[in-house]
Amino acid sequence: MEIKVVHQILEWNEDCSDGIKADLKEKKVCLINVMGSPGAGKTSIITSVIGKLSGKYDIGVIEGDIAGQIDAEKMKSLGVPVVQLNTDGMCHIEAMSIKNILPDFDLDKLDIIFVENIGNLVCPAEFNIGESFRVALLSIPEGDDKVEKYPLMFQTTDALVLNKYDMIRYFDFDEQRVTANALDVNPDVEIFKVSNKTGEGMDEFVAWLERKIDA
């Protein structure tokens, strides 16, 4: 008799993720999963992007944190609908959490939902959440070895944003090393050099987002 092996958590999560994708596709809502380490600049990048896209799209935000609602308050000040998701110690967001949150939004009045995932380069990469596509942030101060240390994060993303690029002159950061490693694990990844402080690279990144959203 054949023994069936079931990978419970990930298979269950994939089924839920696929259901979310189908529901959002019907509503024509684009879900963008933004990932990166604590302090990589996820909140700042999302707020800047919202400022550039808000005239064209209606936007909502899901803020993922282990605790608190500091970032959600920042998003609320922009006048966009936001839901705080506290994982109470879990290092990632799962699809079921997104499914449970979506009814809090009027999906008929939204074009985009940004999900700021938990600050972590490991667990979030393993769990699909029904996203249309993924954006991974790597800030210059974090160092140029992160793609080699945490390949899955960069293997599964659609865009790699080298954030805080204005600080590259102050750090021993080998940009060519990061680019080569990223393209090695993910030949299709788009790489952007962005400074939220100076605005460098933001227009190119936002233009790419618009193409992905419209598609």
Side-chain angles (χ1 to χ4, degrees):
M1 178 183 295
E2 181 181 354
I3 298 175
K4 183 177 182 180
V5 178
V6 178
H7 301 280
Q8 181 176 347
I9 295 178
L10 289 179
E11 287 190 0
W12 169 81
N13 188 80
E14 286 302 303
D15 290 342
C16 186
S17 176
D18 290 343
I20 293 169
K21 284 184 179 180
D23 291 342
L24 292 180
K25 183 178 181 180
E26 182 179 349
K27 293 289 186 179
K28 298 183 179 179
V29 176
C30 182
L31 187 73
I32 304 173
N33 187 359
V34 181
M35 302 179 292
S37 299
K42 298 184 296 297
T43 305
S44 298
I45 286 291
I46 292 173
T47 55
S48 293
V49 169
I50 289 174
K52 290 179 176 294
L53 295 181
S54 58
K56 183 176 181 180
Y57 304 100
D58 292 312
I59 302 170
V61 178
I62 297 173
E63 273 295 337
D65 283 300
I66 290 177
Q69 57 184 47
I70 296 172
D71 294 336
E73 293 292 343
K74 294 178 183 177
M75 297 298 173
K76 183 180 178 181
S77 70
L78 300 177
V80 300
V82 58
V83 175
Q84 176 70 52
L85 169 59
N86 287 345
T87 63
D88 298 323
M90 290 185 65
C91 59
H92 62 276
I93 294 174
E94 295 182 3
M96 182 56 72
S97 295
I98 301 298
K99 182 177 180 179
N100 291 336
I101 285 173
L102 288 179
D104 292 326
F105 294 99
D106 186 347
L107 297 179
D108 292 321
K109 295 182 179 180
L110 289 180
D111 303 304
I112 306 166
I113 298 176
F114 285 101
V115 179
E116 182 174 344
N117 216 311
I118 307 300
N120 191 324
L121 286 177
V122 183
C123 302
E126 299 179 5
F127 290 83
N128 292 320
I129 57 172
E131 65 267 61
S132 305
F133 58 92
R134 293 179 166 191
V135 174
L137 270 63
L138 172 62
S139 66
I140 299 302
E142 292 178 71
D144 55 21
D145 59 354
K146 296 300 178 287
V147 178
E148 294 166 83
K149 288 184 175 181
Y150 310 102
L152 184 61
M153 171 62 68
F154 305 98
Q155 181 181 345
T156 60
T157 193
D158 295 276
L160 166 57
V161 175
L162 299 180
N163 196 28
K164 305 183 183 179
Y165 195 76
D166 56 295
M167 301 182 71
I168 197 166
R169 65 175 71 93
Y170 304 113
F171 291 87
D172 184 16
F173 187 94
D174 189 341
E175 180 186 328
Q176 292 184 341
R177 175 188 183 184
V178 172
T179 299
N181 288 332
L183 291 173
D184 183 54
V185 299
N186 186 356
D188 296 322
V189 69
E190 296 281 350
I191 301 175
F192 298 93
K193 307 169 187 177
V194 170
S195 168
N196 195 58
K197 182 177 181 179
T198 67
E200 178 183 359
M202 281 298 298
D203 288 343
E204 291 82 1
F205 176 52
V206 170
W208 176 83
L209 284 174
E210 288 185 279
R211 292 194 296 272
K212 293 287 288 185
I213 293 164
D214 292 343

